[in-house]
Amino acid sequence: MADNARLFFATLLNGLTLAALYFLVASGFTLVFGLLRNVNLAHGSLYLVGAYVGWVVGDWLGSWFLAVAAGFVCAALLGLILQIGVFRFMPGQDLRQTMATIALSIIAADIALWVWGGEIYQFDPPGWIIGATPLPIVGKFPTYRLVLLATAIVIGLGLWWFLVRTRVGMMIRAGVDDRAMLSASGIDVQKVFAITFAIGAGLAGFAGVVGGTALSIAPGEDTRYLLASLVVVIVGGMGSVTGAALGAVLVGVAEQFGLAYAPTYGIMFTFVIMALVLAFRPQGLLGRRA
Amino acid sequence: MSAAHWRKAMNFTAARRDWSGGRAVAPPGRAPAVAPPSAPGARDWRLWRHVGVRHVVVLAAVLVYPWIVPPFFAFQIGGQALTLGLIALSLTFLAGYGGMLSLAQMTIAGIAGYVVAILGVSGTAEISLGWPWWLVVILAIAAGTLAATFIGWLSVRTEGIYTIMITLAIGVAFFYLAQQNYAIFNGFQGFQKVLPPVVLGIDWRAPIPYYYLALFWALAGYFFIKHLIRAPFGVALQGVRDNARRMSALGYSPVAHRVAAYAVAGVIASIGGVLMVWYNGLISPGSVGVSWLINILIIAVLGGMRHPIGPFIGAVVFVLLQNFAIDLVDRERFNLVIGVIFLVIVLFSPDGLLGWWDGLREWTRRRIDRPRSAIHGAGWRSVGVQQARPASRS
């Protein structure tokens, strides 16, 4: 019995830390979608490229924190280039933009495979976060996962503060509600778009390094996190950061419980959640009708 | 779809069939449907009315093709292109005429393929049941169609851009399921030695028989879609694509039409899936992975979505690139090549190669026949990729 409780809570905690990672990836995805109506299917590639660049920088400078920063900055720059160089020229053609992101994700995945090969890379974080922390019931739990959970909460709160309290955040929210009106009130919409895309992409790169430290980086991770982002925002509601948090918790916890209790059908848990949400609330739990 | 819906579709669209299929055709009249048996000549003439020289030439070329090329070209190029083209045709139908860009068509083909491997004969005797091939094929197509209907039922609840996300999520979820599950799907390895049966004393995996098998189903699919887009159901579907709200006000059910379109596309994709597993001789999670989901999209977009011939053109180009473009660059860099080509097509030619063809024809016609060019543009309706998006807010 005690062992069952231990397994249950350990699984729950694992699910929450996975949810933290999913939230970091999916919040950028949903932010970009909410404002730009751009389903960025290259989001997983931004995650992977951010992770690789972070690894190179971390290996070179020997600092894990600089690696995290490098992952964020690199992915943000890539996002900026994408928005300014590609998507700006096809406004309103969301399907064409989406297909362009598919093409870019194929190209990015192949270039990453070319440059970094098929090996698995692991980060070297500072010693104090790779140990274990004793917790009640669960026993020893990897400290890094707790750090990940805390990071996601901090990022989530920061994002909330940014969107609600700052001027740019207000512009972004106004843009989500009515782009034409925002543009009519004399605001440079393209600049707001570029900022949003940079933040969204940067979050993916940030998550790449942070998540790559928790697990590892290898080809194919881009697909995994793209699927996670898709399911999280479909469940949570497109364009809603709170929805992304809720969706991430549901999906992350479901996936871990699936892995713990029904290993070979684990993915079905995620799928069933998505199917149920689509069947009863097609716009997502916290989404609004488009 | 209920019988009442069908009847409604039959009655309501009959008067407006003159714009069907995305291009202006002469009103066919209602005669063929109720033609008295005493006038077979007129009916025959009507059937052959659309057949031009180029159709005969193309048909003759694809029939003669396997005899004048080496077996490699008949099987690896011809057979594979026809099989992939058939699967992509289901996407062209859904996206071009239904406005629903589904990335799960390869998943449906994969489900049919897995059913063939699981119920039929394969190298993994512990799982495969070894049922007779005709039963297996029927069940495989039924399973694929059922899965397609379910996917359609799930994804038509939202519109436009959401479809691509939902179908991609479903497709990737199936890939992970097939990869993780060993009891049914045999995990990472999948099933080997899934071979077509020897029927009528012919080994259907030999290059020329397989080519004709694939050609038969490709032609069947092509003519079926060509007929369907001019039939009342197809016209109503295009109406739903262009303006779901207006069609709903006219008494049609957009949801029923869309789900039915998914089911129809599911039948085609399932047939393609059965052929695919016979062509490859194996099925594994890699056959339904993200790269293949996207390859089907690339094939459909490459060829162009405004005509059912598009996916076959796209498939031929894709297969040729797959086999020969790697000689120009590194063997491992095929994805880079295909990604760049896809990007170029998306950025510069949303209608694919058919768009270039039409542009060329337009250009030559204008050169030859300058005065009439003003009229020509008026009746033009593009069924391009940009419009494969329901106009929900008008």
Side-chain angles (χ1 to χ4, degrees), chain B residues 12 23 34 44 59 61 78 81 86 95 102 127 150 154 162 168 184 197 239 246 257 277 323 338 341 366 377:
Chain B
F12 273 69
R23 48 180 71 193
V34 289
D44 284 354
L59 194 64
L86 189 61
S102 162
I127 297 176
F150 178 68
L154 270 185
Y162 298 76
L168 179 62
I184 301 172
R246 220 174 279 177
H257 277 81
V277 71
N323 282 287
I338 201 73
I341 287 172
R366 220 175 304 158

Side-chain angles (χ1 to χ4, degrees), chain A residues 39 90 94-96 98-99 102-103 106-107 110 114 223-224 227 230 233 238 264-265 267 278-279 282 290, chain B residues 154 157-158 161-162 165-166 168-169 176-177 180-181 290 294 297 301 333 335-336 342 346-347 385 388-389:
Chain A
V39 177
M90 24 179 150
D94 41 11
L95 204 61
R96 211 167 140 214
T98 306
M99 290 207 281
I102 292 177
I106 301 171
I107 296 170
D110 208 50
W114 196 357
T223 311
R224 212 191 124 185
L227 172 70
L230 286 174
V233 298
M238 325 260 176
T264 62
Y265 295 93
I267 192 78
L278 280 175
Chain B
L154 270 185
R157 289 160 177 279
T158 54
I161 200 73
Y162 298 76
M165 300 175 64
I166 292 163
L168 179 62
Y176 279 114
L177 176 69
Q180 289 170 0
N181 189 290
V290 183
I294 290 173
L297 174 71
V301 172
R333 295 278 81 83
N335 276 334
L336 196 62
F342 185 43
V346 168
L347 291 183
V385 168
R389 174 167 55 99

